[in-house]
Amino acid sequence: QVQLVESGGGLVQAGGSLRLSCVASESIFSINVMGWYRRASGNQRELVATVTSRGNTNYADSVKGRFTISRDNAKKMVYLQMNSLKPEDTAVYYCKMTGSRTSWSYESDYWGQGTQVTVSS
């Protein structure tokens, strides 16, 4: 069973920074895309940022220039550095990885349990 565990959420004032981390369990063989999504109260889950195995990144317009996604393939980890946080960034942030459990498996999506980020004004 592949498990993703997020950490780094919390309460921060507007303008502050947080760094989220997500680690995959050893049971995943290879990871193609890693990403972060978020769900604010009453809203649907939305993409924040993704990074491919080649290092190509994609960001939501609302976070461009403020958030930076990065990955460590050897550690099976993905990070989200969030700067200049705004109250509208308040949400539960989810880590997602798309990968294979074995060298002969099809790719599947795996999700973390979520970590709360609250930005006060």
Side-chain angles (χ1 to χ4, degrees):
Q1 184 74 14
V2 176
Q3 292 184 330
L4 305 185
V5 179
E6 300 113 333
S7 60
L11 173 64
V12 65
Q13 288 187 334
S17 298
L18 283 174
R19 188 190 192 214
L20 304 183
S21 300
C22 175
V23 60
S25 61
E26 290 298 318
S27 60
I28 189 167
F29 173 73
S30 67
I31 305 169
N32 183 5
V33 181
M34 298 183 181
W36 290 94
Y37 293 73
R38 68 186 181 187
R39 178 181 288 160
S41 179
N43 292 348
Q44 292 186 335
R45 187 158 51 189
E46 63 177 3
L47 179 146
V48 176
T50 60
V51 57
T52 70
S53 57
R54 295 186 176 185
N56 296 319
T57 57
N58 180 49
Y59 294 92
D61 288 342
S62 59
V63 306
K64 283 181 180 177
R66 300 188 297 121
F67 291 9
T68 303
I69 189 170
S70 59
R71 62 189 280 169
D72 185 326
N73 293 323
K75 295 182 178 179
K76 298 181 181 179
M77 294 191 71
V78 62
Y79 307 94
L80 186 68
Q81 178 66 43
M82 305 185 293
N83 298 328
S84 303
L85 282 161
K86 304 175 181 180
E88 50 263 44
D89 294 319
T90 295
V92 177
Y93 284 71
Y94 298 89
C95 166
K96 176 187 172 183
M97 296 189 186
T98 302
S100 305
R101 293 188 62 185
T102 66
S103 61
W104 59 88
S105 301
Y106 290 109
E107 289 188 339
S108 298
D109 291 334
Y110 303 98
W111 291 90
Q113 80 288 350
T115 184
Q116 177 70 45
V117 171
T118 303
V119 184
S120 63
S121 58

